[in-house]
Structure formats: structure tokens, C-alpha cells
């Protein structure tokens, strides 16, 4: 078979690009070895956020106990998973139907390059004029004894029951979010983090405030620790690690890989396709096109060009679709893309960190304050609330914003809008936001 465009993957980037290019009259096919829908809809942000909803109910009750709310509340894990599946189970069929209705051919199987303009899907040989790699990401290999005993984010989100003792290997987004869910569902959670602190993508002051919430729910966090091996015996696990003060052993019923992800490109036989790779990433030009095979483009996590976020995947796909149909002229723009860890409360960031701004030699002023006494925090009895903002001294524009606390996952979008469109601190101060809301605090943050 011959196609104008073949898309490897069926997540957000794949859907957006395939639909746009098919609408332009191209003959398009999509291929995936997993159920159609991609990481976000099936194995990542959407199902995770549905589990967070259960944790939010528990957290709200615990905070408001003694403030007018009484009674008992608990998470029924199997029912919560059933609720999650009410969303995820229909996704593959819906996605396949959308592709087919748009005249896009759907293929199931593992795609492998067999030449610079050919690939195989199972026993089928396919020729293409252009190809988009949108295959998402996978957990990075840890290369330790017993690594096979780890489950990844996909496995966690499918657990039929929740084990009592859970160890998270790593201290980033996945560990922080899953720890909050599992602890509020009754599990004993230990996080083993290689670095000196968790959530290194966020400002240290805000992470230190968030640690109060993590400690409050009994999650044990051990930093400066390297996991060396995982041993299994009679269905129980022992995680062996090395810390500052020597060897550490942690007993567990479940061990979760939360140590980072990398582009899922290792099974594509890229060398046969003439697709250059460097340090585990595709070598792309400014148009998200392979530098070694001009027929090949990439988007989303597979491209690893911008932040590993769903809106970035969609943005990349629009860039690629435009360049495919109209010729290379559009470049990705990742300015003002917010990022959130959906802990309880959430922590969020957009724009530059203080370290980034200093390294760039910018002249800026910083405001940083823990604001537990503000109404936004007090009304929900949440002691963790604070911000850090970076304002350019010459222009007054917002360079970076960092929030933790109630509504941070929503309020950060206002700062994202400001950064992307060049709004100043005065613009935000003179804007009348609905009151009392998290957004109405913005004027005091800048």
C-alpha cells in the first residue's frame, strides 16, 4: 500500500495532524500497537485526573473536619477504577471511528522502518511519501536487577485493587501525583528520590511548602537515594537502595517506576529509515523534521522538542500539518506553556524559573511569599498556599510565575496568557477578576 502520510501513534499529536492533512486531500494512515487513543486519554493525564477526583473528596473532608464537616469518608478503589474506565474504555472505539469517518486508514501492529520511504506493520509492507512519528514516551530503563518487577503509570492506573505498601522509584510528577492518590486511598507510600528534593522542575521554595502537605498525609520521602535492586519473594518485594547514610531496604507490595520517561522510538528500526538519533532523541530541525530523512517529522513526546505536555503535542501536530501541506515555514512556539503537578494542593509553573532568568542575565524583580493567611487558603482550611513571580524590570512583563495551593492549576493559566501575549504586571493589576477567586489574588502576586 502507498500513502501520502503515515502516522505512527494515535494520541493527541497523531489525531490532530492526521485530521488536518486528510482534510487537505492527502491519503493518510495511522498505526498503533496499542489501543487507539494515546497516553493522555488512556494511560496518563485524563484517567489520572479522574482518580485525583476521589482523592480530592477525601482531602477536602479531612481539611474541613472541625470546621463544620463531620463524618467518615473513604475511597473504594475498585469503584474509583470503574469510574475511570467509564471514560477510558470507550476511547479506542471512538478514536477509530473518528479516523474512519475522516477517510483515514487504521492499522494495528508494530511499525518498523524497512527503508527511507517504507515501513512494515506486521506482515504488511507500506510505502509513504511523508511520515509522522508521534509514538509518545516510555519509562526510561533503570538497568538494575529486578527491574521487571516494576509497574509503570499504565499499570498503576489499571490496578484492580490497591496494595497496602507502595514504593515509588523517582520523585517527579508521576511519584508526587500517584503518592497523593494512593495515600488518600489508604496505602502506605514511600518515595525514593535520587536527587536532593522532589519535583525538581518547580521552584525549591514552593516544593518545600508542598512537602508540608505530603508529610501531612504520611508519605515517606527519602531523598539523595539511588535504587540498586528489587528482590521478590512470595509476592512481596524488597527495594534495595543506597543513601547518604548507607544501604536502605524498603518492604513493598508494589513498586512503581516514576523515574522519568523518554521518547518511545527504540522499536522503530530508525537506522533502516535513515532517521538520525542523538542521546536517545530524534535529531530534528526547527520545523520538527528529521535532519537526515526529510520525509520524516515528529511531534509531541516522540519529538521531545518542547515540554512533555498534551497541549504541546497538539501544538506540534498543527506545526507539522502546516509544514506538510504548505511546505516548511512554521516553527513551534513554546512560550507561556503552563505545567502542573496535580498533587493536593496542586503546584504549577509557567515561564522562567529564577535560576533560568539569572542564567540569561535578565534584570528582574522577584516576589515570593507563603500566603496561608489569604482568604483563598483559609476558606478551605489549606495551610499550603504561596507564589513566586518574576517581573522584567524594564518592561514590566511577566517572565515567570510559580504557584502552589488551592486553584493553582487554574490560576496559572492567567499567567500563561500574560507571558504568551506580553502582558505586564500593571495589566494584571488593573484587571478586575471575579472575587473571591484564586485569580483575584493575582494583583497581589505581581
Amino acid at each position: 500500500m502507498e500513502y501520502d502520510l503515515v502516522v505512527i501513534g494515535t494520541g493527541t499529536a497523531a489525531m490532530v495532524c492526521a485530521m488536518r492533512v486528510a482534510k487537505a486531500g492527502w491519503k493518510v494512515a495511522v498505526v498503533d500497537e496499542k489501543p487507539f487513543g494515546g497516553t493522555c486519554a488512556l494511560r496518563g493525564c485524563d484517567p489520572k485526573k479522574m482518580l485525583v477526583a476521589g482523592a480530592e473528596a477525601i482531602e477536602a473532608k479531612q481539611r474541613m473536619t472541625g470546621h463544620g464537616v463531620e463524618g467518615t469518608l473513604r475511597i473504594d478503589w475498585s469503584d474509583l477504577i470503574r469510574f475511570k474506565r467509564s471514560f477510558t474504555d470507550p476511547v479506542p472505539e471512538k478514536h477509530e471511528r473518528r479516523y474512519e469517518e475522516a477517510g483515514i486508514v487504521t492499522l494495528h501492529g508494530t511499525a518498523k522502518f524497512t527503508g527511507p520511504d517504507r515501513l512494515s506493520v506486521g506482515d504488511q509492507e507500506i510505502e509513504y511519501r511523508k511520515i509522522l512519528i508521534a509514538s509518545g514516551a516510555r519509562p526510561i530503563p533503570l538497568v538494575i536487577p529486578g527491574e521487571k518487577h516494576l509497574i509503570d503509570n499504565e499499570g498503576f492506573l489499571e490496578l484492580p485493587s490497591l496494595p497496602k505498601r507502595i514504593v515509588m522509584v523517582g520523585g517527579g510528577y508521576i511519584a508526587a501525583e500517584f503518592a497523593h492518590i494512593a495515600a488518600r486511598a489508604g496505602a502506605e507510600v514511600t518515595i525514593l528520590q535520587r536527587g536532593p528534593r522532589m519535583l525538581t522542575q518547580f521552584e525549591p521554595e514552593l516544593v518545600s511548602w508542598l512537602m508540608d502537605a505530603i508529610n501531612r498525609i504520611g508519605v515517606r520521602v527519602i531523598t539523595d537515594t539511588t535504587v540498586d535492586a528489587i528482590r521478590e519473594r512470595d509476592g512481596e518485594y524488597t527495594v534495595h537502595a543506597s543513601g547518604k547514610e548507607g544501604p536502605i531496604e524498603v518492604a513493598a507490595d508494589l513498586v512503581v517506576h516514576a523515574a522519568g520517561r523518554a521518547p518511545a522510538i527504540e522499536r522503530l528500526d530508525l537506522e533502516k529509515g535513515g532517521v538520525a538519533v542523538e542521546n536517545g532523541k530524534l535529531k530534528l530541525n526547527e520545523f520538527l523534521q528529521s535532519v537526515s530523512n526529510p520525509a520524516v517529522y515528529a511531534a509531541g513526546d516522540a519529538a521531545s522538542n518542547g515540554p512533555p505536555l498534551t497541549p504541546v503535542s497538539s501544538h506540534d501536530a498543527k506545526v507539522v500539518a502546516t509544514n506538510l501541506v504548505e511546505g516548511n515555514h512554521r516553527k513551534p512556539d513554546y512560550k507561556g506553556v503552563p505545567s502542573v503537578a496535580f498533587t493536593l494542593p496542586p503546584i504549577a509553573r509557567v515561564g522562567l524559573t529564577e535560576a533560568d532568568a539569572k542564567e540569561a542575565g535578565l534584570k528582574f524583580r522577584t516576589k515570593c511569599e507563603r500566603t496561608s493567611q489569604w482568604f483563598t487558603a483559609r476558606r478551605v482550611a489549606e495551610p499550603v498556599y504561596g507564589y513566586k513571580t518574576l517581573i522584567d524590570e524594564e518592561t514590566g512583563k511577566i517572565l515567570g510565575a510559580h504557584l502552589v495551593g488551592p486553584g493553582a492549576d487554574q490560576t496559572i493559566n492567567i499567567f500563561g496568557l500574560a507571558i504568551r501575549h506580553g502582558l505586564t504586571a500593571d495589566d494584571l493589576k488593573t484587571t478586575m477578576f471575579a472575587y473571591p477567586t484564586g485569580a483575584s489574588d493575582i494583583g497581589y502576586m505581581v
Side-chain angles (χ1 to χ4, degrees):
M1 293 292 294
E2 296 182 5
Y3 295 95
D4 295 315
L5 173 68
V6 175
V7 180
I8 300 176
T10 55
T12 301
M15 175 70 78
V16 171
C17 184
M19 290 292 181
R20 290 183 172 225
V21 174
K23 193 173 182 179
W26 287 35
K27 185 178 180 181
V28 179
V30 294
V31 55
D32 205 332
E33 61 186 4
K34 292 185 175 182
F36 280 27
T39 298
C40 185
L42 293 176
R43 304 177 289 275
C45 24
D46 288 346
K48 169 200 68 186
K49 197 72 185 292
M50 295 188 79
L51 299 190
V52 168
E56 286 172 335
I58 299 295
E59 170 66 8
K61 186 269 171 188
Q62 290 174 342
R63 281 188 281 100
M64 292 303 294
T65 295
H67 303 292
V69 175
E70 299 296 336
T72 59
L73 201 63
R74 70 176 184 86
I75 286 178
D76 184 311
W77 185 262
S78 61
D79 278 352
L80 186 59
I81 292 295
R82 191 176 300 114
F83 174 57
K84 186 247 350 173
R85 286 178 176 160
S86 70
F87 172 82
T88 56
D89 284 358
V91 166
E93 183 180 348
K94 286 181 179 179
H95 275 237
E96 286 206 52
R97 187 165 60 248
R98 284 189 64 189
Y99 284 123
E100 290 166 359
E101 288 173 351
I104 296 169
V105 175
T106 57
L107 304 171
H108 294 266
T110 300
K112 294 180 181 292
F113 282 92
T114 56
D117 58 356
R118 301 185 310 278
L119 57 81
S120 64
V121 179
D123 297 331
Q124 188 174 359
E125 188 82 7
I126 293 171
E127 293 184 12
Y128 57 82
R129 190 162 61 86
K130 301 289 183 181
I131 192 163
L132 171 65
I133 300 175
S135 49
R138 59 174 176 81
I140 61 172
L142 300 182
V143 194
I144 57 173
E147 183 171 4
K148 65 181 181 181
H149 299 307
L150 290 161
I151 70 164
D152 59 10
N153 58 296
E154 185 174 354
F156 182 88
L157 293 170
E158 290 293 336
L159 288 172
S161 59
L162 191 68
K164 183 65 177 175
R165 300 168 301 172
I166 299 175
V167 170
M168 305 283 180
V169 178
Y173 287 80
I174 292 174
E177 294 171 339
F178 284 3
H180 276 257
I181 295 167
R184 286 179 174 83
E188 299 170 6
V189 181
T190 300
I191 294 174
L192 301 177
Q193 163 68 338
R194 184 173 221 158
R197 66 181 178 91
M198 291 185 63
L199 293 167
T200 55
Q201 304 90 337
F202 296 89
E203 292 290 77
E205 297 94 335
L206 278 71
V207 174
S208 70
W209 302 335
L210 179 63
M211 292 307 297
D212 288 351
I214 292 174
N215 294 332
R216 185 171 74 210
I217 58 175
V219 173
R220 180 188 179 199
V221 179
I222 307 175
T223 55
D224 294 306
T225 300
T226 301
V227 173
D228 301 316
I230 302 164
R231 311 291 184 196
E232 185 270 339
R233 184 176 181 181
D234 298 330
E236 295 186 358
Y237 304 97
T238 302
V239 181
H240 298 266
S242 302
K244 277 186 172 180
E245 299 179 3
I248 297 170
E249 292 186 6
V250 184
D253 304 304
L254 181 74
V255 187
V256 180
H257 188 308
R261 292 165 67 79
I265 57 177
E266 76 287 351
R267 299 178 62 185
L268 297 178
D269 283 350
L270 294 170
E271 186 175 350
K272 292 181 180 178
V275 182
V277 177
E278 187 174 59
N279 298 323
K281 297 181 180 180
L282 299 169
K283 291 184 69 173
L284 306 174
N285 63 20
E286 58 191 345
F287 304 110
L288 299 179
Q289 180 186 39
S290 169
V291 298
S292 57
N293 184 345
V296 178
Y297 289 76
D301 289 349
S304 194
N305 213 50
L309 304 168
T310 298
V312 168
S313 295
S314 178
H315 173 71
D316 283 357
K318 293 171 186 176
V319 169
V320 171
T322 299
N323 291 337
L324 287 171
V325 174
E326 301 176 6
N328 284 351
H329 69 275
R330 187 173 176 184
K331 305 172 186 178
D333 176 10
Y334 304 121
K335 184 179 180 181
V337 180
S339 179
V340 179
F342 290 99
T343 49
L344 298 175
I347 185 169
R349 61 161 290 183
V350 66
L352 300 178
T353 64
E354 186 172 2
D356 292 335
K358 287 179 178 178
E359 186 177 346
L362 300 175
K363 294 182 179 180
F364 62 97
R365 59 182 171 86
T366 302
K367 290 188 71 173
C368 184
E369 183 182 5
R370 184 166 180 173
T371 52
S372 305
Q373 76 281 7
W374 285 11
F375 182 76
T376 298
R378 290 195 62 186
R379 77 170 190 89
V380 292
E382 174 54 79
V384 177
Y385 189 42
Y387 70 92
K388 185 178 193 178
T389 53
L390 285 66
I391 314 296
D392 187 280
E393 285 188 351
E394 295 182 359
T395 65
K397 291 182 179 180
I398 312 297
L399 297 176
H402 308 268
L403 311 175
V404 63
D409 53 333
Q410 297 289 349
T411 306
I412 199 65
N413 291 314
I414 304 296
F415 284 106
L417 180 74
I419 290 173
R420 192 162 183 88
H421 296 284
L423 302 182
T424 66
D426 285 342
D427 290 330
L428 295 182
K429 284 181 178 180
T430 56
T431 298
M432 288 178 281
F433 296 103
Y435 178 87
T437 63
S440 63
D441 291 341
I442 288 175
Y444 302 100
M445 295 178 176
V446 296

